[in-house]
């Protein structure tokens, strides 16, 4: 088989905010020797740019007008961590701030934004074995993915995880505020017209409420190995 004909393996991991997709997908990719693609970070980078320029993230026209001049790059450091760059500057940490989350959710609902970023995501799967996480990977971005998993957990469980994550990062937020914002984002992601959050018909649903990281990781690896015959 020539290089042009080589079939790369793609694993799609979808689910709501705070389900642990990024951390788990990164770990699973490392275990399998695959490239990890955090699509949420790409949308967060757009949201961060919109926020920095004082543009209303709900103004689809204004956001779409910004896209042609956006300089977004995705690179990997020596540890394999995906890092996001905007106009040549590393914004990996900045895009994780709580105030960027809602903005990212709003801009990701704009069709022009999703179309603009689609090729970047699909090109990664065409040229590498990937574990890709997001909201619509198995339904829209990679509908032919070899393995599809819908990762979820209760809103309370996900809010607690996010609370601990932010606390460890040195940017603590009130748990109650995090829970309300998470439920609001869930509603927006599920009810948006463009690529709403939903489980692909052929995806395996995995509810990790009450699971430890290692338990969740083990379940995902088991599912992947069963589906791929490893």
């Amino acid at each position: 088989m020539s290089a042009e004909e080589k079939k790369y393996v793609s694993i799609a991991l979808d689910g709501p905010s705070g389900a642990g997709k990024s951390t788990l997908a990164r770990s699973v990719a490392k275990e399998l020797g695959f490239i990890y693609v955090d699509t949420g970070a790409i949308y967060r980078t757009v949201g961060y740019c919109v926020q920095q320029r004082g543009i209303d993230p709900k103004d689809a026209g204004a956001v779409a007008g910004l896209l042609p001049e956006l300089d977004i790059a995705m690179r990997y450091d020596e540890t394999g961590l995906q890092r996001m760059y905007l106009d040549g500057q590393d914004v990996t940490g900045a895009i994780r701030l709580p105030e960027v989350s809602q903005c990212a959710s709003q801009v990701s609902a704009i069709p022009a934004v999703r179309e603009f970023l689609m090729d970047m995501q699909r090109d990664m799967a065409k040229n590498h074995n990937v574990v890709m996480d997001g909201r619509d990977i198995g339904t829209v971005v990679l509908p032919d993915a070899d393995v599809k998993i819908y990762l979820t957990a209760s809103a309370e469980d996900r809010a607690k995880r996010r609370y601990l994550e932010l606390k460890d990062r040195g940017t603590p937020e009130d748990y109650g505020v995090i829970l309300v914002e998470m439920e609001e984002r869930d509603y927006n992601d599920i009810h948006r017209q463009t690529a709403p959050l939903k489980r692909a018909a052929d995806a395996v649903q995995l509810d990790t409420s009450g699971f430890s990281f290692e338990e969740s990781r083990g379940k995902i690896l088991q599912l992947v190995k069963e589906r791929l015959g490893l």
Side-chain angles (χ1 to χ4, degrees):
M1 181 180 290
S2 67
E4 290 77 11
E5 297 172 322
K6 183 175 180 181
K7 173 68 169 66
Y8 289 97
V9 175
S10 57
I11 299 170
L13 192 60
D14 289 308
S17 176
K21 299 187 302 297
S22 298
T23 308
L24 288 165
R26 184 184 301 114
S27 180
V28 168
K30 184 177 182 180
E31 173 73 18
L32 297 173
F34 285 15
I35 292 291
Y36 165 55
V37 183
D38 178 0
T39 63
I42 305 174
Y43 286 101
R44 281 175 174 271
T45 302
V46 177
Y48 174 76
C49 182
V50 166
Q51 183 187 65
Q52 291 296 300
R53 299 198 184 187
I55 297 173
D56 181 353
K58 295 181 180 179
D59 187 337
V63 174
L66 175 68
L67 298 178
E69 60 186 81
L70 277 186
D71 178 13
I72 294 179
M74 183 171 59
R75 302 169 191 163
Y76 294 85
D77 62 22
E78 63 278 1
T79 68
L81 177 66
Q82 176 181 308
R83 305 199 70 84
M84 297 305 304
Y85 290 80
L86 176 64
D87 297 329
Q89 293 189 326
D90 188 337
V91 295
T92 307
I95 63 174
R96 294 297 174 184
L97 295 175
E99 57 266 27
V100 178
S101 294
Q102 289 299 325
C103 190
S105 179
Q106 291 166 339
V107 300
S108 68
I110 300 174
V113 173
R114 305 199 73 83
E115 186 66 29
F116 177 76
L117 299 177
M118 189 73 72
D119 287 343
M120 178 187 294
Q121 298 169 63
R122 287 179 171 168
D123 283 346
M124 292 298 293
K126 288 178 182 177
N127 298 293
H128 305 276
N129 293 321
V130 300
V131 177
M132 190 177 297
D133 77 313
R135 301 289 191 280
D136 62 346
I137 308 304
T139 54
V140 178
V141 181
L142 301 178
D144 297 321
D146 299 279
V147 182
K148 298 180 185 180
I149 297 173
Y150 188 84
L151 190 68
T152 188
S154 68
E156 292 77 12
D157 198 88
R158 289 183 285 122
K160 181 179 179 181
R161 294 175 189 174
R162 182 58 56 83
Y163 168 79
L164 294 174
E165 175 189 345
L166 293 172
K167 182 179 179 181
D168 290 342
R169 193 178 291 163
T171 55
E173 288 284 322
D174 180 77
Y175 168 80
V177 172
I178 294 173
L179 178 59
V180 170
E181 290 180 345
M182 189 157 288
E183 290 175 334
E184 180 182 342
R185 183 165 187 182
D186 285 351
Y187 182 87
N188 291 338
D189 287 347
I190 291 171
H191 292 87
R192 67 190 184 197
Q193 290 187 330
T194 302
L197 169 65
K198 64 179 180 180
R199 172 186 169 187
D202 53 348
V204 177
Q205 179 162 313
L206 178 60
D207 189 327
T208 62
S209 298
F211 282 21
S212 68
F213 171 79
E214 286 302 328
E215 288 171 331
S216 300
R217 178 178 180 274
K219 289 285 187 180
I220 293 173
L221 282 170
Q222 180 183 351
L223 285 169
V224 168
K225 291 178 179 180
E226 287 175 355
R227 289 298 178 96
L228 297 180
L230 300 178

